[in-house]
Amino acid sequence: VQLQASGGGLVQPGGSLRLSCAASGFTLQYYAVGWFRQAPGKEREGVSWIASSDGPAYYADSVKGRFTVSRDNAKNTVYLQMNSLKPEDTAVYYCAAHYGAAWSQVRYLKYDEYNYWGQGTLVTVSS
């Protein structure tokens, strides 16, 4: 059982990146997935969540309108499309999967409540 985050890199302000969260050993479709980030010297924060199956997506105010979370069930993967990136988006991004949460509760899950975690991928937004 594994969850792997990838897709980070260096991008200029205003640019875009797509992060992937790929699962192996379990069916990601039946899990809620949260994306979190942690910048140097700051606490980890949640940025986006997508409920299980065909459930809704949620976004933190700081990324709303710029980030989009989606699923590709055939690839057992969740994506985080990040557009109009800002220097303050610089952080290590993590994905995590949780089984059993009601759709309305997904965005309130704490990081430690998830069942599986990816290893993190670094996003650097700089000119």
Side-chain angles (χ1 to χ4, degrees):
V1 173
Q2 190 176 10
L3 201 59
Q4 186 166 1
S6 62
L10 174 64
V11 63
Q12 292 187 342
S16 298
L17 280 175
R18 189 179 76 163
L19 305 184
S20 299
C21 179
S24 58
F26 67 102
T27 304
L28 195 58
Q29 176 182 1
Y30 303 126
Y31 287 70
V33 174
W35 284 97
F36 298 81
R37 67 186 181 187
Q38 188 164 20
K42 295 188 177 181
E43 292 187 355
R44 184 185 300 116
E45 63 172 345
V47 296
S48 182
W49 304 262
I50 186 166
S52 61
S53 300
D54 294 326
Y58 306 95
Y59 301 93
D61 288 345
S62 58
V63 306
K64 197 172 295 183
R66 300 188 296 122
F67 290 12
T68 303
V69 63
S70 63
R71 291 182 180 273
D72 185 334
N73 293 330
K75 295 184 177 179
N76 214 25
T77 299
V78 167
Y79 299 103
L80 184 67
Q81 178 68 42
M82 306 186 298
N83 298 330
S84 302
L85 283 162
K86 305 175 181 179
E88 52 263 43
D89 295 317
T90 295
V92 177
Y93 285 70
Y94 303 87
C95 63
H98 183 279
Y99 184 81
W103 287 1
S104 62
Q105 299 301 310
V106 165
R107 71 168 300 163
Y108 302 110
L109 291 170
K110 294 181 174 57
Y111 187 75
D112 291 345
E113 293 179 297
Y114 284 76
N115 302 105
Y116 306 113
W117 300 268
Q119 82 284 11
T121 185
L122 176 62
V123 172
T124 303
V125 185
S126 175
S127 55

